[in-house]
Amino acid sequence: MSCGAILSLSTNAVATRRIRFHNPKFCTRTLHPLSYSFFQVNFGGNHRLRLSSIRRLHLSPNATSLELPLLPFNMGEVLVPSESKVLHLYEARYLALLEESLLRKKKVFVHFVLDPILISSSGTEASFAARYGCLVFIENVERLDVGALVSIRGIGRVKLVKFLQSNPYLIGEVIPLQDRVPDDPSKIDSKLIAVKEALYSLNSLEIKLKAPKEALLQTRIANSLTWAKKEPSLECDKAFIPSLAERISFTALQPISGSTESEMLKLQQQKLRAMDVKETLQRLDDSLELVNENISIVAAKLAIQSLEMQ
């Protein structure tokens, strides 16, 4: 578990949030994480907002804070740094959140997940922990007749320390989270080279697989790696931008071509672990293992594809 704010609320205050998530590999579906309505209970009712440090990540030295709009998702939708996602926002309050983010010029907000937790075996209250916060940058907005398609990119992990506003959308205070600085940077450098070489090998295999006509030639892993290698140019404190090694350590956490449901579930668990890991070297080791597994999987798919074409 990562550290986060724990919320207590009445179960009848839970509603449905209407946001569509567009995945280039899978069909569009409507997410049903928890609505913002329960925060009204915490701010105006008898329920308390409590902060809980369940597992501490490294806070950046002299970390500054930002007050940003917050967008909650369920545990199945964690977003890691370097990852991209397209959302279809069409309710008034979420469009207001979008406009607020754009007006701030920084074009950033926080993507986080609400994790149901058990506080007491009795009572009718439901409790949730705000976890796995990721600062995201709005890369593109496409206006539609109904709402907008919003392309976002994960930048770096953040910790939510305080809720400041509940209506018409959430605003909170966040601080950056970064990996610990290693004692021997040379170990990071050698592992970084190995991970990048493995990612290039995986990408060269993936682009050989037959894909639907509407699929992009560039894989999601290659897209994340290309982004991670560049220093993000954001109008915010540099403490919120992870190091090059930390950014690249997250890039392997993308679905490969033709991922099965079980593979997607496994990837989800790996993403949760990666968000909790506090050492870049450990995450690079985990990523290298994941990439090598995926290389074997894609190679097997290519072999089957070759037989089918004979």
Side-chain angles (χ1 to χ4, degrees), residues 86-309:
V86 179
L87 304 173
H88 181 194
L89 305 183
Y90 55 93
E91 280 196 18
R93 52 187 167 179
Y94 306 114
L95 292 173
L97 182 151
L98 171 63
E99 296 304 327
E100 169 71 11
S101 300
L102 294 174
L103 284 174
R104 288 171 178 255
K105 295 183 179 180
K106 296 177 182 178
K107 296 184 179 180
V108 295
F109 61 88
V110 174
H111 178 297
F112 74 101
V113 299
L114 284 170
D115 181 15
I117 60 175
L118 181 63
I119 296 295
S120 173
S121 58
S122 61
T124 59
E125 292 183 357
S127 297
F128 298 85
R131 308 189 195 278
Y132 306 109
C134 187
L135 180 70
V136 301
F137 175 72
I138 299 173
E139 292 189 316
N140 186 59
V141 177
E142 180 183 348
R143 304 290 179 175
L144 305 175
D145 293 338
V146 179
L149 289 180
V150 184
S151 301
I152 61 174
R153 173 79 61 178
I155 304 298
R157 293 169 297 169
V158 295
K159 177 184 178 181
L160 176 60
V161 295
K162 185 187 301 181
F163 290 102
L164 304 172
Q165 171 184 306
S166 59
N167 270 318
Y169 49 83
L170 286 172
I171 289 181
E173 180 182 357
V174 299
I175 56 177
L177 296 174
Q178 293 184 358
D179 288 343
R180 298 191 184 111
V181 177
D183 296 330
D184 185 2
S186 62
K187 293 182 179 180
I188 294 287
D189 293 339
S190 60
K191 189 67 65 173
L192 197 59
I193 293 173
V195 169
K196 287 193 290 185
E197 289 178 347
L199 288 170
Y200 291 137
S201 297
L202 175 58
N203 183 65
S204 65
L205 288 175
E206 277 205 89
I207 60 178
K208 295 177 183 179
L209 282 173
K210 291 179 63 177
K213 293 181 180 180
E214 65 273 13
L216 297 176
L217 178 60
Q218 187 183 44
T219 67
R220 297 178 67 178
I221 287 177
N223 180 278
S224 292
L225 181 58
T226 298
W227 177 88
K229 289 190 297 183
K230 301 177 182 178
E231 181 75 19
S233 56
L234 300 179
E235 295 182 15
C236 66
D237 193 298
K238 292 295 183 181
F240 285 86
I241 300 177
S243 67
L244 172 64
E246 185 173 339
R247 295 197 302 271
I248 290 180
S249 71
F250 282 101
T251 58
L253 298 160
Q254 307 289 331
I256 59 175
S257 302
S259 293
T260 64
E261 184 176 350
S262 62
E263 289 169 344
M264 291 297 291
L265 289 174
K266 181 180 178 180
L267 175 63
Q268 173 64 16
Q269 294 303 312
Q270 291 167 321
K271 288 169 67 175
L272 293 175
R273 169 177 164 78
M275 291 291 277
D276 273 339
V277 167
K278 295 173 284 186
E279 307 285 349
T280 303
L281 187 60
Q282 177 62 59
R283 194 180 304 103
L284 286 170
D285 282 334
D286 293 343
S287 293
L288 186 58
E289 181 179 348
L290 172 62
V291 176
N292 287 331
E293 289 178 2
N294 285 338
I295 286 175
S296 298
I297 291 172
V298 175
K301 291 180 179 180
L302 279 171
I304 294 173
Q305 177 179 291
S306 177
L307 291 174
E308 291 175 343
M309 295 178 63

